[in-house]
Amino acid sequence: MTIFCIRFVRIENEILMHFRNIRKNATDVYLGDSIEIDKDGNPLTIQETLSDNRDLAEDLETKIKWEKVSKIIENLEDEREKEILILRYGLDNKKPLTQREVAQRLKISRSYVSRIEKKVLEDIKKKF
């Protein structure tokens, strides 16, 4: 009799946990969820109702500009200038650093990092 009671309690707990889990996830909404069905019987999903405000022409123009700037940086003759830009702006998939962090890493002053950064950015603007 006690074994039956213990098993029953375990089963009851499992059932309660299952219903709690269902209740917890009941508020989840997915982009693929159907909102309604159109006159032809096709489902209309949440994803289909969302708009994208991006301007593709503007995105393409930005990408082209970035590629030009990237080539200019890549072709910098002074390796220290290139390294400062890479570290400051997180290029080459690196984390952007503050001027102070760059200065500590290169063992130079923060003001020197600032001057080099400013000079290189002005040079890039002229070339661009």
Side-chain angles (χ1 to χ4, degrees), residues 9-127:
V9 170
R10 285 184 183 165
I11 293 171
E12 185 180 22
N13 284 341
E14 289 293 323
I15 292 170
L16 288 173
M17 286 173 45
H18 174 73
F19 284 120
R20 285 183 191 135
N21 192 27
I22 289 174
R23 199 173 326 129
K24 182 178 81 173
N25 293 331
T27 58
D28 292 349
V29 177
Y30 301 95
L31 293 176
D33 287 352
S34 178
I35 300 173
E36 61 182 36
I37 297 177
D38 66 8
K39 63 182 179 181
D40 298 327
N42 300 317
L44 177 66
T45 64
I46 295 172
Q47 185 173 6
E48 292 170 341
T49 63
L50 299 175
S51 67
D52 187 357
N53 294 332
R54 290 182 295 176
D55 181 3
L56 293 178
E58 188 176 309
D59 286 351
L60 182 60
E61 185 178 335
T62 301
K63 184 176 181 180
I64 291 169
K65 286 179 182 178
W66 173 245
E67 286 175 359
K68 287 180 183 178
V69 170
S70 183
K71 284 181 183 177
I72 293 171
I73 294 170
E74 190 177 296
N75 294 326
L76 285 174
E77 293 177 13
D78 188 330
E79 288 299 317
R80 178 171 272 184
E81 290 177 352
K82 186 189 301 187
E83 187 174 8
I84 287 173
L85 279 185
I86 289 170
L87 293 173
R88 275 291 287 138
Y89 296 98
L91 307 177
D92 294 339
N93 294 322
K94 296 184 179 179
K95 179 183 167 235
L97 302 176
T98 64
Q99 287 180 347
R100 186 175 313 280
E101 292 169 328
V102 172
Q104 289 172 347
R105 184 174 284 189
L106 300 179
K107 297 181 180 18
I108 57 178
S109 70
R110 189 211 51 81
S111 62
Y112 189 50
V113 170
S114 178
R115 282 187 299 225
I116 291 174
E117 181 183 349
K118 184 177 178 182
K119 175 197 166 290
V120 174
L121 291 177
E122 286 175 10
D123 291 346
I124 290 173
K125 284 180 188 177
K126 287 177 188 174
K127 290 178 184 178

